[in-house]
Amino acid sequence: MRSFLEVLNHPVDAFRTGSKTVSWGLVTITILLNTVFEPILRFFCSDNAHDIVNMLKLTVAGFAAYIVICLAFWLICKLFGSESTLSAHINTWGMTFVPTAVCSVVVAFTEVFFFIFWNSTIWGMLLNIVFVGILIWKAILFFLYLKDFAGLKGWRFICACAAMGVVILVVVALDGYVGLKTPII
């Protein structure tokens, strides 16, 4: 629990200490929220049957997306002079998944209970604030990750941000194509 609180309150210190358990725990929770929780919630609330094989396929796709994004981040960081290893990227990037997990829960509830939010200006404004907050939180963690974990500064930092932005867009598109509603990035 202490390591998880460190991820929330002091992400840079968490990147340095590198709690593999917390990182993989956050990744696993996020993927399961996205691939298992949402179908189960939908089943209990709307009696729509979901295919177990499809849930397993999406879970495997979620872990594959995580490995792909970490591999791409490692290659780009290496290209721009980072000394971090691939295993360090794989075991650290997951610490940025708290906002992704929150987004998975919000997306699941808004899709299953869309009739509550339909044509409601107040709910629309609140959800927009939540989603913008989640995006800002994830972006801050992304920049801290590049600066403090990967050790990129100056023009190398800016170029790595641009290259990773392209990679993120590609992975988001692929995640959506396979059926992951919240991108595993």
Side-chain angles (χ1 to χ4, degrees):
M1 185 62 161
R2 182 181 173 127
S3 296
F4 177 73
L5 291 175
E6 184 178 34
V7 167
L8 287 176
N9 296 320
H10 307 286
V12 173
D13 294 336
F15 292 157
R16 288 186 187 129
T17 58
S19 176
K20 187 181 197 180
T21 306
V22 172
S23 182
W24 276 103
L26 285 169
V27 170
T28 302
I29 288 168
T30 302
I31 292 169
L32 293 177
L33 283 170
N34 204 0
T35 61
V36 177
F37 172 71
E38 191 270 334
I40 289 172
L41 184 66
R42 188 176 301 279
F43 174 77
F44 284 117
C45 294
S46 63
D47 295 331
N48 287 341
H50 273 60
D51 184 12
I52 298 293
V53 175
N54 190 45
M55 287 183 354
L56 291 173
K57 179 188 81 160
L58 288 176
T59 302
V60 170
F63 282 105
Y66 179 72
I67 298 298
V68 166
I69 198 87
C70 289
L71 179 63
F73 280 9
W74 172 72
L75 286 171
I76 291 169
C77 287
K78 194 76 159 164
L79 179 69
F80 289 105
S82 176
E83 299 295 323
S84 302
T85 64
L86 174 60
S87 63
H89 279 275
I90 290 172
N91 292 325
T92 305
W93 178 245
M95 291 183 205
T96 68
F97 268 55
V98 175
T100 312
V102 172
C103 186
S104 293
V105 171
V106 173
V107 167
F109 275 105
T110 55
E111 283 195 352
V112 171
F113 300 111
F114 72 94
F115 55 88
I116 294 174
F117 308 108
W118 192 261
N119 287 333
S120 174
T121 305
I122 293 172
W123 277 113
M125 287 177 11
L126 289 174
L127 288 172
N128 281 329
I129 290 168
V130 167
F131 283 123
V132 168
I134 290 169
L135 286 173
I136 291 170
W137 186 9
K138 187 71 173 191
I140 290 169
L141 290 173
F142 172 70
F143 294 135
L144 289 174
Y145 180 82
L146 284 180
K147 182 180 170 284
D148 292 310
F149 172 75
L152 301 177
K153 295 182 182 5
W155 68 271
R156 294 173 190 266
F157 174 82
I158 293 169
C159 292
C161 283
M164 288 181 173
V166 171
V167 169
I168 287 170
L169 290 175
V170 169
V171 172
V172 166
L174 291 174
D175 282 354
Y177 178 74
V178 298
L180 292 166
K181 293 181 182 173
T182 303
I184 306 300
I185 54 166

